[in-house]
Amino acid sequence: MMIKPRTRGFICTTAHPQGCAAQVRQQIDYVQARPAIQGPRNALVIGASAGYGLAARIVAAFGARANTVGVYRQGERSGGRTASAGWYNSAAFETAAQEAGLKSFSVTGDAFTDETKAKTVDLIRKELGQVDLVIYSVATARRTNPRTGETSTSVLKPIGQPYTNKTVNFHDGEVSLVTLEPATEEEIQATVDVMGGDDWQMWIDALREGGALAPDATTISYSYIGPELTQAIYRQGSIGRAKDHLEATAKQLHEQLAAGGGRAYVTVGKALVTQSSSAIPVVPLYISALYKVMKEKGIHEGCIEQMYRLFADRLYAANADSVPVDEAGRIRIDDWEMREDVQKEVADIWNRIETANIYELTDLEGYRREFFQLFGFETDGVDYEADVDPGVVVPNAI
């Protein structure tokens, strides 16, 4: 079939297997063109099919020659629908890892369930023995707690009072004002339940109890802080409460793992085009302005550049006595985004943005292109007029 992008709001309902494979290959090539990393031996990535999770898996495998296990939701082709982009990404990764002589396995299922955790622990014990790196990169709007059976749904809302600011429809470039009503206490708690550190802790507990976690293991998860411009909707909003919980969990895990030489961190990354960020009002417009400034300064990074820098310059830096962290114990790879000169220029652009000048003042076109690339479209070297088979098998998937 000939596969074209079909969108519904901030979601693309189709994905292109060859486009996804080409982008995975580009990320692998980027890593292989850089110095090797003395990093993990065996890595588990929970939420491994896209974004930071996929990029971290690529860096671990092709930068440090680590064996990897990736956990992600099932997304095979069904009926007349294509498979998910994550499914195609994972198929491409698994194929490349096999060709490179690396062990790699995929566990498909809901990462929140005890069943998926048990299946992953069994696989690790059988195939790898133990993992010494665990990356928790789950991004979803809904979670059912296996202990209580309660299902929670996260919200993207401010706290305390309504919030009004500019936003953009990145499909057509229309700039408008959006007002978001504040979250209730129940919505805040539900967001913490979904996006906080509770499941991260459950994963580490399951791995330790199952004998699948190396004593000196490192574990990380991801967060974002951002500028004053996005604080009300992000760091000071319902998501921010969840990130506070995530960071508190990192400190608890660090204490639990320290006796064996292990460590736990939250990594603060830069603003990037992801399915999650596309759903947050105001943020796509901010990213479009940020990309314009960072690209002009030659300091723009995507997921793979951020993850290579995290591994090479932070977690596994040669001759480093300790991992550099901020006053809250977080690893910061948002340092270039938060540079004073960058934020000053972004703020100046923000004050002038309107529909008539958005393509002149921002990199909205680059944002839109990256959005479609999340699903395998608009990728150089791919013939999108050709018929392709959407039924792709992921090697080593259980």
Side-chain angles (χ1 to χ4, degrees):
M1 60 189 291
M2 188 183 299
I3 303 173
K4 299 293 183 181
R6 293 202 299 266
T7 59
R8 186 175 67 246
F10 56 86
I11 296 174
C12 191
T13 60
T14 53
H16 199 284
Q18 293 181 358
C20 290
Q23 290 180 47
V24 170
R25 187 68 252 175
Q26 289 170 7
Q27 292 187 65
I28 292 171
D29 290 346
Y30 174 87
V31 173
Q32 290 183 320
R34 276 147 186 82
I37 298 167
Q38 296 301 312
R41 301 175 298 277
N42 300 310
L44 167 64
V45 183
I46 306 154
S49 63
Y52 275 148
L54 174 63
R57 193 180 187 193
I58 290 171
V59 173
F62 293 93
R65 300 293 298 175
N67 304 309
T68 64
V69 175
V71 178
Y72 51 91
R73 287 186 180 275
Q74 295 170 316
E76 306 101 315
R77 180 196 181 195
S78 63
R81 300 172 64 90
T82 68
S84 68
W87 187 262
Y88 293 142
N89 290 338
S90 299
F93 172 87
E94 294 284 5
T95 299
Q98 283 190 342
E99 292 172 350
L102 299 167
K103 287 186 177 181
S104 66
F105 306 91
S106 288
V107 179
T108 59
D110 183 349
F112 296 136
T113 65
D114 291 337
E115 177 187 4
T116 299
K117 292 178 176 67
K119 188 162 57 171
T120 304
V121 168
D122 289 345
L123 173 68
I124 292 169
R125 294 292 296 142
K126 177 183 177 183
E127 299 290 347
L128 304 178
Q130 293 181 324
V131 291
D132 58 337
L133 174 64
V134 180
I135 295 172
Y136 188 84
S137 183
V138 177
T140 186
R142 186 175 292 104
R143 174 191 178 217
T144 298
N145 188 314
R147 303 292 183 266
T148 66
E150 180 179 350
T151 298
S152 300
T153 301
S154 63
V155 297
L156 307 169
K157 292 185 177 182
I159 292 175
Q161 59 187 3
Y163 171 69
T164 300
N165 211 328
K166 297 177 184 178
T167 193
V168 66
N169 180 331
F170 59 85
H171 294 298
D172 62 17
E174 181 181 357
V175 177
S176 60
L177 290 179
V178 62
T179 297
L180 302 171
E181 295 301 318
T184 65
E185 286 301 321
E186 290 76 13
E187 288 174 325
I188 294 170
Q189 185 56 53
T191 304
V192 172
D193 291 342
V194 176
M195 303 177 68
D198 190 42
D199 189 59
W200 186 17
Q201 177 73 66
M202 288 183 177
W203 268 99
I204 298 301
D205 289 344
L207 291 163
R208 293 179 74 185
E209 292 165 6
L213 188 70
D216 61 347
T218 295
T219 184
I220 63 168
S221 191
Y222 300 107
S223 186
Y224 180 68
I225 295 177
E228 185 63 31
L229 180 64
T230 62
Q231 290 293 295
I233 188 58
Y234 199 94
R235 193 65 204 199
Q236 294 173 8
S238 56
I239 299 176
R241 289 285 182 86
K243 296 304 183 182
D244 289 344
H245 188 275
L246 188 76
E247 291 171 11
T249 301
K251 292 179 181 178
Q252 294 173 3
L253 289 172
H254 196 80
E255 292 173 359
Q256 294 166 13
L257 298 173
R263 52 193 184 161
Y265 301 103
V266 162
T267 296
V268 179
K270 74 181 286 282
L272 291 169
V273 181
T274 65
Q275 281 188 259
S276 298
S277 67
S278 299
I280 307 175
V282 180
V283 170
L285 186 56
Y286 165 73
I287 292 177
S288 299
L290 178 71
Y291 274 27
K292 174 83 168 181
V293 173
M294 295 189 76
K295 286 179 179 179
E296 288 178 349
K297 292 180 178 295
I299 55 173
H300 173 68
E301 292 176 309
C303 287
I304 195 65
E305 292 87 358
Q306 283 257 288
M307 288 301 94
Y308 181 83
R309 191 153 67 95
L310 171 65
F311 277 61
D313 297 349
R314 302 292 197 274
L315 289 175
Y316 302 104
N319 302 319
D321 294 330
S322 62
V323 176
V325 296
D326 67 7
E327 69 285 350
R330 301 170 297 207
I331 299 174
R332 303 294 293 267
I333 50 172
D334 65 338
D335 46 345
W336 297 352
E337 173 187 354
M338 299 308 296
R339 271 176 26 180
E340 184 177 355
D341 61 322
V342 171
Q343 287 301 315
K344 185 177 183 300
E345 291 185 33
V346 170
D348 178 65
I349 290 171
W350 186 269
N351 291 332
R352 295 185 289 137
I353 294 174
E354 55 187 36
T355 302
N357 62 17
I358 189 168
Y359 289 102
E360 173 191 350
L361 294 183
T362 77
D363 187 29
L364 185 64
E365 185 56 39
Y367 183 102
R368 192 199 65 80
R369 186 167 189 259
E370 282 198 27
F371 171 80
F372 283 106
Q373 287 178 338
L374 295 174
F375 305 93
F377 299 105
E378 300 199 20
T379 303
D380 293 340
V382 177
D383 183 0
Y384 290 103
E385 301 303 317
D387 283 335
V388 296
D389 183 0
V392 173
V393 175
V394 177
N396 292 336
I398 64 170

